[in-house]
Amino acid sequence: MTSPVGSEPLPNARELFDIPDGLAYFNTASVAPTLRTGLVAGEAALLKRAQPWRLLGPDWFSGAERRRALFADLIGAAADDIALVPATSYGFAVAAANLTARAGERILVLDGEYPSGIYTWWRFAERTGASMLTVGREPGQTWTEAVLDALDALDEGVAVVSVPRVHWTDGALLDLDRIAEATRAAGAALVIDASQSVGAIPIDVHTLRPDFLVSVGYKWLLGPFGLGYLYVAPARQDGRPLEENWIVRKDSDDFGRLVEYRTEYQPGARRFDVGARTAFELTPMALAALEQLSAWTVPRIAVTLAATTARIASAARERGLPVPAPRGPHMLGITVPDRLQQRVVAALEEANVFVGARGSAIRISPHLHTTGADIEQLLSALDAALNRSW
């Protein structure tokens, strides 16, 4: 587990979330609870949308640009480097459409990775004649070691390395600095799935220099479903978008001249934006969340969550339940005896404790709403479930 040095933990912020007493929610990695400020912003946005005469020309652009800039700040990018996308799959599709591979080259992915990336790279391999290289771990081996060993051992060239910051099933950590360096040395493109890390772990694209980085907005970014983000490296920003929508073209804010069709796009990564990026009803909710994250700062979020997950991990190990190491500060997977995973998760839900079942792990992902009482409720329910006669 890693956490930023020199960052002070944040106070508990349960009052900022709409979570009732007696309910312990440990499934942020699936869908984050919405901030109360997001609920207020969303309600106001719906009321405004219900009266479309209140929507002015600048409203088509201002919220999207603010959202772009706030996300860019979280990852050390410029606003021009960010495209607004609806989903991880869309971001992966943009990356695949703008990368190339030769027949026989490899696309490196992790075993058990998130399906949207795997399916995208399957189709990419089919189109280019490249082949998939799925990296697994030997006992005692970290994901970082496994990836670096695979890159060292490749007989054929590698075209794409597609990896996350943490494994989505259990929070196992990857050292992206080392992987990025090895990827560049191999002459491959680096694609990062940051959906389980941006907003909870510091990520600096200036240092990592990925070709593409994608994240959804409804997990650690605390925003609504359907609004995601794609970082596109400056060298990739002249590529081909998935769609040719009106709003990404130059001077699209001049509604009276839209039929004067333009070949030029708006600057930077905006050409890759999804056509419905304005999202009048949802954008204010995303902005409220991003502004709160900016106020908290990601390093302080990481330090705070690290203390929470360390307490849970220690209790799990005391019970003889394995947890991954190294892992991210914000989530962990607990391995329970064979065939009990789904039963334990169901038993926890009966006790008003909500976790996720992913891969072979019970995935636990708290946030700033999590209290000491929530942790005790989790551990008590876990003990009861494991001691039950199944």
Side-chain angles (χ1 to χ4, degrees):
M1 179 182 62
T2 63
S3 59
V5 177
S7 296
E8 293 295 324
L10 291 157
N12 185 268
R14 191 181 185 94
E15 73 280 1
L16 301 183
F17 297 86
D18 188 17
I19 301 176
D21 293 339
L23 189 148
Y25 188 76
F26 290 94
N27 209 8
T28 304
S30 178
V31 181
T34 300
L35 289 160
R36 292 186 186 275
T37 53
L39 293 174
V40 171
E43 181 179 14
L46 284 171
L47 291 173
K48 183 175 181 178
R49 174 62 182 85
Q51 299 176 336
W53 53 90
R54 296 173 58 196
L55 298 175
L56 305 177
D59 293 333
W60 287 84
F61 303 91
S62 58
E65 290 306 313
R66 176 66 176 154
R67 188 160 67 91
R68 195 190 313 275
L70 285 168
F71 178 80
D73 286 344
L74 291 181
I75 62 170
D80 279 358
D81 299 332
I82 306 303
L84 303 180
V85 299
T88 302
S89 57
Y90 195 102
F92 273 122
V94 170
N98 287 277
L99 294 174
T100 59
R102 295 189 299 269
E105 287 189 317
R106 304 294 190 91
I107 306 149
L108 187 152
V109 297
L110 302 187
D111 186 32
E113 248 292 50
Y114 193 72
S116 290
I118 299 300
Y119 295 146
T120 300
W121 299 124
W122 279 4
R123 183 58 59 87
F124 179 82
E126 181 183 82
R127 171 170 62 85
T128 62
S131 61
M132 303 289 291
L133 173 62
T134 301
V135 174
R137 289 185 297 176
E138 299 296 329
Q141 188 181 41
T142 68
W143 280 117
T144 302
E145 293 166 345
V147 170
L148 295 178
D149 287 351
L151 286 172
D152 286 341
L154 278 175
D155 295 326
E156 301 289 341
V158 57
V160 178
V161 173
S162 181
V163 291
R165 182 75 170 88
V166 297
H167 202 287
W168 75 294
T169 62
D170 61 4
L173 188 70
L174 284 82
D175 187 338
L176 287 187
D177 291 305
R178 295 174 63 194
I179 291 172
E181 183 179 358
T183 299
R184 287 191 290 272
L190 177 62
V191 180
I192 298 173
D193 182 355
S195 291
Q196 292 294 2
S197 50
V198 172
I201 307 178
I203 290 182
D204 184 0
V205 295
H206 181 73
T207 300
L208 293 174
R209 293 159 50 197
D211 293 84
F212 298 91
L213 177 149
V214 64
S215 177
V216 296
Y218 62 88
K219 299 179 186 291
W220 302 98
L221 295 175
L222 308 183
F225 203 83
L227 301 187
Y229 306 86
L230 175 68
Y231 166 83
V232 183
R236 301 286 185 183
Q237 291 174 12
D238 289 333
R240 172 175 289 187
L242 294 188
E243 54 179 275
E244 301 293 346
N245 63 73
W246 69 273
I247 205 167
V248 302
R249 295 288 178 163
K250 183 180 179 182
D251 297 329
S252 57
D253 56 341
D254 188 349
F255 290 177
R257 300 177 61 195
L258 288 182
V259 294
E260 297 178 14
Y261 307 121
R262 308 298 180 98
T263 58
E264 307 97 330
Y265 293 97
Q266 290 188 21
R270 291 172 181 82
R271 68 176 60 197
F272 302 110
D273 286 356
V274 68
R277 73 179 193 194
T278 299
F280 293 115
E281 301 89 342
L282 299 179
T283 292
M285 297 179 69
L287 291 176
L290 291 170
E291 287 163 356
Q292 181 62 75
L293 292 174
S294 296
W296 280 330
T297 77
V298 173
R300 295 189 70 189
I301 293 170
V303 166
T304 307
L305 296 182
T308 299
T309 60
R311 181 175 169 184
I312 297 168
S314 177
R317 285 191 290 266
E318 289 173 359
R319 290 158 171 78
L321 303 174
V323 296
R327 61 174 177 81
H330 59 310
M331 58 190 286
L332 71 155
I334 295 177
T335 302
V336 297
D338 290 344
R339 299 183 299 279
L340 287 186
Q341 181 198 48
Q342 296 293 339
R343 292 180 178 182
V344 169
V345 170
L348 292 179
E349 288 186 4
E350 291 175 5
N352 266 348
V353 177
F354 295 86
V355 298
R358 299 294 187 274
S360 62
I362 293 176
R363 188 182 66 186
I364 297 170
S365 49
H367 210 275
L368 298 186
H369 62 267
T370 305
T371 65
D374 290 338
I375 297 173
E376 292 304 319
Q377 187 174 345
L378 165 67
L379 297 176
S380 295
L382 183 61
D383 287 339
L386 293 175
N387 291 328
R388 182 182 295 185
S389 176
W390 295 103

